[in-house]
Amino acid sequence: METQEIFALAKTAARQNASRLHVPNLAESDGVPPADVDLCATVVLIGIRDAAFAERLRNAGKTVLAIEDACHVNNDGTRFDGRSGVSRIEQAIELLGLNPPQEVRERIERIAANARGGIPCLVETIRRLLPDLERGVIIETALALRLEAAAARAAYIAQQKTAESLPADQDALQAAREAIGGAIRLRVFATNRRLKDDPELILVHAPERYRLVLEDAIYADRWQNGTDRLDRRLDILALYQRDGVREASLARIEFRGSAEHLPLFEEILVPERRRAWMTDRLDARAVVNDALQCRFADRSGTENTALSALADHLLDHLLIGNRPLRAWRTSFLQPLRLANPERLEDERRVLLDTAVSPVAPGLTRSFADPEERSYFLSHLRRHIVPTQEEVGESAADGDRSLDTVLLSFEIKSTPLYLRITRSDGAPPCRQRIRAQYLHLFAAQCLVFEWVMDDETDEPMPPDADGREPRDDERLWYEYLRWTETTGPVLADLLDLNYYARFVYSSFVAEKEEKGARVDLLDDADRELGTLELWRDVSADQPCCGWFAALLREGPGRFCGGIINSSRLALLSDDRARVLSSVVAAGGPPTLAATTDAFDAMLARLRMVDPFGRGFAYDAAFARDELRQGSYRRFAGFGTHYGISPHSFACLTFGSYGRRVVHANHMRTMYRRMFLLTVFYRAILQALAHDISAALGTTQGARERGLSGTYLALRPQLLTFTNLLWFPTVSSQVQGVELFNQVQAQAGLSAEYALIEKEIADTDAFGRALSESRRNRLAIAATVLAALFGVPAAVATLIANNAPLAGLWAKLRCTLGWDDPWLLGLVTLVVVAPLVGWWLWPWLRRR
């Protein structure tokens, strides 16, 4: 339509000045002048990108001027970028010196906007030119011009000998709108957050006769339903089938949407990529200005398989945050400890009794299945994957034997839900808590686990031949059968993992971030507990709000005297530890244009960050952090593991990923390894806390020596080292590698080394105190021996020395003393106070 308008303006100008401007009639020549046309010295090419044709004109002595405003990627991968920010019709007016009247200029602006950016640009231009128009009039005005452009395109297509006639009038538009949901199948890939900047892709499968009006029908339908702003650009992937052929046969693929997708389609159109994907026989072209248009057409009628595979590839690369999930499960693990040291033994006894002999029908012991048990080293199974018989034997051996056994039991409670309300106006998310578990390991540490999950897809119905399609076959067709699916997409799960792990509020956020809250609901949607995040610092932390209510409604119903917020202390920060397993639909993107966006989602899943475009932190830092925390042995097969100090996440694809990795490995073996790591970190943190509390902080306390409380902690460290902490728990290669990485990310070795050094330094200090104490005792013993030896020495000296004996006789007569020992006693009385005064400071310190 834009080219026709340019020719109409040029012909008008030619009639006014025939000697200056010559416009040949190209209606029947497909944009190439016939050989008998007498061209002027300067030839203006509008939208013609045939380099050979332009070169022939130059060789004929012509001056060639090209008018173009878009970037074109051709069938062979060559690229011509003519974007200048000025439309072709505006360039032609300037170049040819045309001066259309004002009413024509307004029409030209609308035509240029439509050619440059489609419906959103057209609507924006109409609003600017006619700011007082109502919404309905704007829609009618925009659709009228769009139908005019479609009719011009239909007239051009009708001239082609091999093309069938395509309707492009108001009746065709109305028929297309009425066919949506019927002959036209449509699915919208969007987040449940419904925020204006969230990714959205519309997948539509339609008969080819609707091709010229399908985009307008989709926009009009959403406008009428009030779904979108008028100027919002939609990403539409349209799959067309020829009329009269079977449903799953494709003849053409068109993408219309944001120009940000241009790098992806450029990469797809590279000859090497087209050969690898077997799309090199398709007619393909991409055009971009303010918007992107890309088409892949099967001219021969033999490339349905290639088109179908290409549609799947496109979906794998266009769906990132809005990727549907086949299945997902997230476990939140909160390490706790019994906070009452005076009642520790009693509380421990109650927990062990509950673990070995459940006291209520809603509390059941949880044991590993044989496959999970066999995954671990045989000499450790009694400790970390015990059977029911082994738990009973350990209980019979005494209470302390159960301290080295990982005990787990499931809590059956009434249905409970978490409702998450964001601060940005997104609709609240309500998700059921599917399961609760209580795990015991070591004397005073326990882990409370709550699980959320969902199986979002149903078995794929067989095709016409009765055969179940594979995961990598006709994914687009399978997607269109899920049009009623309402489960979360990847972006929704990222948000759920992020918000559901906060157990108390630890800081005050900026104003725009306030308003987020987490509510615990019962089956009747009654609020049992609420935590308003980041409005204020929680006054009754660490156990408050919805988490305190969950403790009360879950384990508190069976161990209420112990499992309550007043008798428990957290062994982490304000966020629970997260184990998340995700099975995404389709396959992972493989092209460089979208792998960066995919890596950003992996990084957010690994670090338990909410959804957003790009990385949550500095891109270079986040990429390096992702590389360090990724386990990539199976990445080439579509399974990605991400490990951080507070999380373990897996994103996988396909039937194997769902049946084996998600349903088995992440649910059993890898979950247990992560649980062990959470316990290890909790036990070390508890030891660090107890060591600090036992030693005290004053110099006087240290000078008094090591307390009995501290001395009791040394056996606990030995028990942890020899009976609880197992650096290797499996002989399987991937089990060894994963467990090593989980422990490394948790910082266990550094934490253990710090505690070990603190104990070693404290023991050295204790030995120094003991040595000093022994030296003082030796001195005191020597002095006391001297004190008691003085009378004996005096008496012996007097008895054995004649002069002294005579002197003693005179003194005895004078004082009336009869025994020489009396003189020694007098000496003792005189010397003892002096010695006591010297020893008093040491005795006082004791």
Side-chain angles (χ1 to χ4, degrees):
M1 180 180 181
E2 185 182 28
T3 302
Q4 288 184 352
E5 195 72 19
I6 293 174
F7 271 81
L9 290 172
K11 287 181 179 180
T12 300
R15 286 194 297 269
Q16 297 172 357
N17 187 0
S19 62
R20 179 175 176 269
L21 187 62
H22 175 61
V23 184
N25 184 7
L26 305 182
E28 303 294 335
S29 59
D30 195 21
V32 179
D36 58 350
V37 173
D38 183 17
L39 298 178
C40 299
T42 299
V43 180
V44 179
L45 302 181
I46 303 173
I48 297 177
R49 295 163 299 282
D50 189 338
F53 174 60
E55 187 62 27
R56 288 197 303 270
L57 291 177
R58 293 189 183 96
N59 292 337
K62 308 296 183 181
T63 300
V64 179
L65 301 178
I67 293 179
E68 186 54 78
D69 65 347
C71 174
H72 296 259
V73 183
N74 297 318
N75 202 42
D76 58 357
T78 58
R79 189 174 189 269
F80 174 82
D81 194 346
R83 287 176 291 185
S84 63
V86 181
S87 68
R88 291 189 298 182
I89 193 169
E90 290 167 332
Q91 292 181 56
I93 291 173
E94 179 68 24
L95 180 64
L96 303 178
L98 305 179
N99 187 26
Q102 180 61 34
E103 62 274 11
V104 176
R105 283 186 176 274
E106 289 188 1
R107 173 177 168 81
I108 288 173
E109 285 193 55
R110 299 179 193 177
I111 293 174
N114 181 61
R116 184 175 63 250
I119 292 180
C121 284
L122 175 58
V123 168
E124 185 178 355
T125 301
I126 294 174
R127 278 178 163 175
R128 178 173 53 81
L129 295 174
L130 303 169
D132 297 330
L133 286 185
E134 296 180 352
R135 176 187 174 93
V137 179
I138 293 175
I139 295 174
E140 292 177 1
T141 305
L143 290 178
L145 186 67
R146 292 280 298 177
L147 282 177
E148 188 178 346
R153 181 65 180 165
Y156 171 77
I157 293 175
Q159 298 172 8
Q160 313 304 308
K161 295 180 180 180
T162 58
E164 59 181 305
S165 176
L166 296 177
D169 53 16
Q170 184 65 43
D171 291 339
L173 176 62
Q174 185 61 31
R177 293 185 61 182
E178 293 174 355
I180 294 177
I184 298 177
R185 291 189 298 164
L186 181 147
R187 176 173 180 179
V188 179
F189 296 92
T191 70
N192 289 325
R193 310 174 345 150
R194 298 198 291 275
L195 299 178
K196 65 178 183 179
D197 294 327
D198 278 359
E200 181 179 273
L201 176 69
I202 299 175
L203 174 65
V204 57
H205 179 232
E208 198 171 14
R209 65 180 179 273
Y210 295 116
R211 176 158 60 89
L212 296 183
V213 295
L214 181 63
E215 182 182 11
D216 296 346
I218 294 173
Y219 271 95
D221 187 65
R222 291 171 70 93
W223 286 344
Q224 182 177 4
N225 296 333
T227 307
D228 286 315
R229 306 186 313 270
L230 296 182
D231 57 351
R232 183 187 182 190
R233 185 175 307 285
L234 303 177
D235 287 344
I236 302 174
L237 181 63
L239 314 178
Y240 295 103
Q241 70 178 66
R242 291 187 178 91
D243 292 331
V245 301
R246 67 187 182 93
E247 185 181 23
S249 178
L250 299 183
R252 187 183 187 94
I253 295 176
E254 289 187 357
F255 175 82
R256 296 173 182 266
S258 172
E260 69 181 19
H261 297 294
L262 176 62
L264 169 62
F265 286 92
E266 285 185 307
E267 197 170 352
I268 291 173
L269 292 175
V270 170
E272 292 77 11
R273 175 60 56 191
R274 296 190 66 191
R275 286 192 293 269
W277 284 4
M278 295 184 291
T279 59
D280 49 326
R281 297 181 63 181
L282 299 176
D283 179 40
R285 177 166 295 174
V287 181
V288 64
N289 198 319
D290 289 354
L292 171 66
Q293 302 177 40
C294 187
R295 74 162 188 264
F296 301 87
D298 175 18
R299 301 294 188 189
S300 65
T302 61
E303 299 301 313
N304 168 63
T305 301
L307 275 173
S308 186
L310 176 61
D312 290 352
H313 285 306
L314 290 174
L315 288 167
D316 286 342
H317 290 80
L318 291 170
L319 298 175
I320 303 296
N322 52 341
R323 176 78 67 106
L325 303 180
R326 289 194 161 194
W328 64 272
R329 179 180 58 254
T330 298
S331 293
F332 300 89
L333 299 97
Q334 182 60 63
L336 304 164
R337 70 174 305 186
L338 304 173
N340 190 343
E342 291 78 12
R343 297 190 56 188
L344 179 60
E345 287 301 318
D346 295 338
E347 293 174 345
R348 176 179 163 277
R349 177 69 264 166
V350 172
L351 286 177
L352 291 179
D353 287 344
T354 304
V356 177
S357 301
V359 297
L363 196 65
T364 59
R365 285 170 290 183
S366 177
F367 296 100
D369 58 42
E371 182 178 356
E372 179 183 1
R373 179 177 166 84
S374 64
Y375 190 83
F376 295 93
L377 295 173
S378 58
H379 65 282
L380 302 181
R381 293 171 187 168
R382 184 183 186 90
H383 297 282
I384 60 178
V385 278
T387 63
Q388 186 170 355
E389 293 75 15
E390 288 171 341
V391 171
E393 293 171 1
S394 297
D397 291 339
D399 293 350
R400 292 301 176 186
S401 297
L402 288 174
D403 285 349
T404 61
V405 177
L406 178 56
L407 302 172
S408 300
F409 47 99
E410 185 176 0
I411 302 164
K412 301 292 186 180
S413 69
T414 56
L416 298 173
Y417 303 82
L418 280 186
R419 183 178 62 199
I420 296 171
T421 305
R422 297 161 50 91
S423 58
D424 50 15
C429 165
R430 181 178 181 269
Q431 189 66 43
R432 181 173 178 176
I433 298 176
R434 295 283 183 180
Q436 301 175 56
Y437 297 91
L438 194 63
H439 308 279
L440 308 179
F441 201 35
Q444 53 184 322
C445 292
L446 55 142
V447 169
F448 177 48
E449 175 186 8
W450 61 101
V451 183
M452 298 180 180
D453 64 11
D454 196 8
E455 301 291 323
T456 59
D457 71 326
E458 299 177 357
M460 175 68 177
D463 60 13
D465 299 326
R467 178 175 56 85
E468 293 283 343
R470 301 188 306 270
D471 286 328
D472 59 347
E473 183 182 25
R474 295 190 312 162
L475 175 67
W476 63 268
Y477 195 65
E478 186 178 354
Y479 275 146
L480 289 171
R481 295 192 180 198
W482 293 354
T483 53
E484 300 302 322
T485 299
T486 58
V489 297
L490 183 56
D492 302 322
L493 180 63
L494 292 176
D495 283 352
L496 175 67
N497 288 353
Y498 174 73
Y499 286 99
R501 65 188 296 234
F502 282 94
V503 296
Y504 67 90
S505 181
S506 62
F507 63 93
V508 178
E510 298 294 331
K511 181 178 180 180
E512 59 272 11
E513 295 179 352
K514 294 180 179 178
R517 57 184 287 165
V518 182
D519 303 305
L520 183 70
L521 310 176
D522 61 12
D523 216 16
D525 277 352
R526 289 189 297 264
E527 293 183 4
L528 305 176
T530 297
L531 175 63
E532 294 189 358
L533 291 171
W534 316 313
R535 182 182 299 274
D536 296 297
V537 175
S538 298
D540 52 349
Q541 57 179 281
C543 299
C544 62
W546 73 266
F547 183 65
L550 180 60
L551 288 175
R552 181 182 67 248
E553 297 296 324
R557 297 175 60 201
F558 311 101
C559 309
I562 299 174
I563 308 299
N564 61 60
S565 56
S566 64
R567 294 196 176 184
L568 293 174
L570 298 185
L571 284 171
S572 63
D573 51 20
D574 55 341
R575 288 158 289 187
R577 283 20 188 168
V578 172
L579 175 72
S580 191
S581 177
V582 185
V583 184
T590 57
L591 301 185
T594 52
T595 51
D596 196 59
F598 181 70
D599 286 345
M601 293 302 103
L602 283 177
R604 289 178 178 273
L605 179 65
R606 171 185 173 268
M607 293 302 297
V608 201
D609 288 316
F611 171 72
R613 291 182 179 269
F615 291 96
Y617 315 103
D618 175 80
F621 177 87
R623 289 190 189 95
D624 185 61
E625 186 180 50
L626 176 64
R627 179 186 58 81
Q628 295 180 23
S630 295
Y631 178 66
R632 298 186 55 81
R633 176 178 285 274
F634 305 103
F637 302 101
T639 297
H640 302 262
Y641 296 97
I643 305 160
S644 77
H646 52 263
S647 65
F648 181 10
C650 173
L651 177 62
T652 187
F653 299 85
S655 293
Y656 181 84
R658 181 179 180 182
R659 290 184 292 101
V660 178
V661 178
H662 170 75
N664 189 11
H665 294 172
M666 288 298 292
R667 186 181 61 84
T668 58
M669 292 87 80
Y670 298 163
R671 167 178 172 260
R672 190 168 297 267
M673 290 195 295
F674 185 67
L675 175 62
L676 282 172
T677 305
V678 171
F679 261 118
Y680 293 164
R681 185 65 187 269
I683 293 169
L684 289 175
Q685 288 176 328
L687 279 171
H689 173 274
D690 291 344
I691 289 172
S692 177
L695 291 178
T697 57
T698 64
Q699 181 64 26
R702 289 187 174 272
E703 290 180 352
R704 287 194 298 271
L706 303 181
S707 66
T709 305
Y710 167 77
L711 296 176
L713 296 176
R714 296 168 64 187
Q716 292 186 28
L717 182 64
L718 292 175
T719 300
F720 173 76
T721 304
N722 298 320
L723 296 176
L724 299 179
W725 187 17
F726 311 113
T728 302
V729 296
S730 175
S731 60
Q732 298 289 330
V733 173
Q734 65 270 24
V736 172
E737 293 171 344
L738 269 173
F739 196 52
N740 286 342
Q741 192 156 353
V742 171
Q743 292 186 96
Q745 286 289 325
L748 294 183
S749 296
E751 184 82 12
Y752 180 83
L754 184 64
I755 292 176
E756 190 177 39
K757 183 178 183 303
E758 184 174 357
I759 288 182
D761 292 346
T762 304
D763 286 346
F765 173 74
R767 286 193 296 272
L769 286 179
S770 299
E771 186 68 23
S772 175
R773 190 184 308 113
R774 284 195 297 270
N775 292 339
R776 290 182 181 274
L777 288 174
I779 294 173
T782 302
V783 171
L784 291 176
L787 286 176
F788 286 103
V790 167
V794 171
T796 303
L797 184 62
I798 293 174
N800 296 329
N801 190 294
L804 289 177
L807 183 61
W808 168 249
K810 293 179 180 181
L811 183 61
R812 184 181 58 184
C813 293
T814 304
L815 298 176
W817 290 349
D818 296 330
D819 195 333
W821 283 94
L822 291 175
L823 183 59
L825 182 61
V826 171
T827 305
L828 178 62
V829 171
V830 174
V831 174
L834 297 176
V835 174
W837 173 81
W838 178 70
L839 291 176
W840 172 247
W842 179 80
L843 294 173
R844 184 180 60 181
R845 287 196 298 270
R846 289 295 300 159

